[in-house]
Amino acid sequence: MYDDADLLPLSALQHLAFCERQCGLIHLEQAWNENALTAYGRILHHRADRHGKETRRGVRTEFAVAIASRRLGLFGKADAVEFPASGPCPVEYKRGKAKAHDADRVQLAAQAICLEEMTGAAIPEAALWYGATRQRETVPIDDVLRRRVEELAAQLHAMMDDAVTPPPRKGPHCKACSMRGLCLPDIFRGDGSQGTKSAVRYLGQMRRDRDHEQEDAP
C-alpha cells in the first residue's frame, strides 16, 4: 500500500502506456507542448469536468469524481461515473476516435480499479466516449487489462523514483504527438541511442527551415 504522499497522477499511466518518453517529459521534466489535437481534448475535458450530478432514465451520473487507489499508488478524477442498478461504471471522454493502442483503455481500467477499492463493488466493464465519432465504446475490465494496469503502475513508480526520462524511440505514435518538438525522436536511432549522422541531418533541416522562414518573412 502506498501513502498519500506517494500517490501519482492517474493521467501519467495513460501517458506511459502511449510512450515512456512522453510520460517522462511531462511528469519528470514538467514539459508540455500543445497542438490542435490536445487543445481540442482539453476543451472536451473542460466541458466534462463539471462537478455535480444528474439523473437520466433512472440512472444517476456524477461528474469529476475524485478517485484513488493506495494499492496501485494512483489518484485522479473520473470524467463521469454512472450508477445503474448493476453498480458504478466510469465513463471517460476522449477526442478523436477509438485507437489501435491501449492507452485509453488502460486509463479507464485504472479508474475502475480505483472505484472498486473505494466502493467495494465489482466493476466488470466501463465506457469510453469519443468526440469525433460521438460513439460510446464499452470496455470489459478483464484480467488481461487489469494485469496491464498493475504492471504499468509499478513501472510508473519505478520511473518516478529513478527520475530518469527514457530516450526517444521513434515510431508511428510520434506522428501526431504534441511533444515531438521537445522529444526530438529524429536524432535518435530506433534503439534509443543517439546517432551522429541523424543529429547532423536534423540540425541541418532546422537551419534550412529557419532560412526559409526568413526568406518568406515580409
Side-chain angles (χ1 to χ4, degrees):
M1 291 290 180
Y2 290 90
D3 294 331
D4 287 353
D6 297 323
L7 300 183
L8 299 176
L10 198 150
S11 60
L13 202 69
Q14 192 258 0
H15 293 139
L16 180 61
F18 177 71
C19 173
E20 292 181 359
R21 181 164 174 82
Q22 185 196 71
C23 181
L25 288 171
I26 294 173
H27 298 281
L28 283 172
E29 302 186 20
Q30 304 298 306
W32 177 250
N33 265 356
E34 186 160 79
N35 60 14
L37 297 176
T38 58
Y40 175 72
R42 178 172 50 79
I43 293 170
L44 179 64
H45 275 87
H46 177 72
R47 292 172 178 171
D49 191 19
R50 59 189 190 278
H51 293 273
K53 57 187 176 181
E54 66 181 27
T55 300
R56 292 185 180 182
R57 299 179 182 177
V59 176
R60 186 177 92 255
T61 301
E62 297 187 5
F63 300 96
V65 179
I67 55 177
S69 168
R70 284 174 176 77
R71 182 173 69 84
L72 296 179
L74 300 172
F75 79 97
K77 282 185 180 180
D79 286 343
V81 179
E82 297 174 348
F83 291 89
S86 56
C89 173
V91 180
E92 178 71 10
Y93 295 87
K94 295 292 184 183
R95 63 168 177 79
K97 57 185 179 181
K99 306 169 185 69
H101 60 74
D102 67 354
D104 291 348
R105 295 186 291 277
V106 162
Q107 182 182 13
L108 185 68
Q111 293 178 3
I113 293 172
C114 288
L115 283 167
E116 286 180 334
E117 188 174 313
M118 294 169 64
T119 65
I123 301 178
E125 62 182 34
L128 292 165
W129 189 91
Y130 287 99
T133 60
R134 301 190 68 81
Q135 291 184 345
R136 176 173 170 138
E137 174 188 339
T138 299
V139 178
I141 311 300
D142 57 23
D143 291 341
V144 173
L145 191 53
R146 289 173 185 272
R147 284 195 297 271
R148 170 81 166 143
V149 169
E150 291 177 0
E151 290 169 358
L152 285 170
Q155 183 181 347
L156 176 63
H157 278 276
M159 177 191 293
M160 299 302 287
D161 289 342
D162 292 342
V164 176
T165 299
R169 294 188 182 277
K170 188 176 180 181
H173 64 286
C174 298
K175 185 176 181 181
C177 180
S178 66
M179 303 295 290
R180 189 181 182 110
L182 296 174
C183 173
L184 304 178
D186 295 312
I187 69 172
F188 284 79
R189 300 189 184 99
D191 61 358
S193 60
Q194 189 169 4
T196 304
K197 291 183 178 179
S198 295
V200 170
R201 285 197 298 270
Y202 179 78
L203 293 173
Q205 185 61 52
M206 286 184 63
R207 286 193 294 268
R208 288 191 291 274
D209 291 344
R210 180 198 60 196
D211 293 341
H212 288 318
E213 290 176 359
Q214 291 175 347
E215 291 173 359
D216 294 339

